[in-house]
Amino acid sequence: MKHTALILCLSLIAAPALSDRDDHDRARLALEAGEILPLADILAAAEAARPGRVIEIELDHDGGRWIYELELVSSEGFLYEMEIDAASGTILEVEREEDDD
């Protein structure tokens, strides 16, 4: 139950990042066509790979496949970028952003 609540909270936090109408429409159409997984599944995969608070989500069609690009902040305060295959939920890349200091 706790995990489900966390996913719901992350979905609500991440929703404004998908507010761009084109992204929203593309995501909806791709989901309806069975080309991508629901966002809740993507967020669960992200949480399992690198726990943190998702602050931005983008959906891109790159190289013939759909890719979710997430930015998240870890509990330690580090910023991470993550790429997830939107069709399978497979984590493709996790990269910690370096400070410019």
Side-chain angles (χ1 to χ4, degrees), residues 35-38 42 59-60 66-68 84-90 92:
E35 296 175 0
I36 65 172
L37 294 172
I42 299 301
L59 179 63
D60 292 320
W66 291 101
I67 306 289
Y68 270 110
I84 302 176
D85 183 297
S88 68
T90 301
L92 303 173

Side-chain angles (χ1 to χ4, degrees), residues 13-80:
I13 291 169
L18 280 177
S19 63
D20 179 66
R21 194 70 192 152
D22 291 339
D23 278 355
H24 177 76
D25 289 340
R26 288 185 316 141
R28 182 181 48 78
L29 292 172
L31 179 62
E32 289 173 358
E35 296 175 0
I36 65 172
L37 294 172
L39 183 56
D41 293 356
I42 299 301
L43 293 173
E47 178 70 16
R50 170 58 57 192
R53 184 171 60 95
V54 176
I55 59 173
E56 185 176 342
I57 299 175
E58 291 182 22
L59 179 63
D60 292 320
H61 197 255
D62 187 28
R65 67 179 174 180
W66 291 101
I67 306 289
Y68 270 110
E69 296 177 2
L70 286 71
E71 285 191 9
L72 61 94
V73 177
S74 70
S75 60
E76 298 85 18
F78 295 111
L79 179 64
Y80 287 87

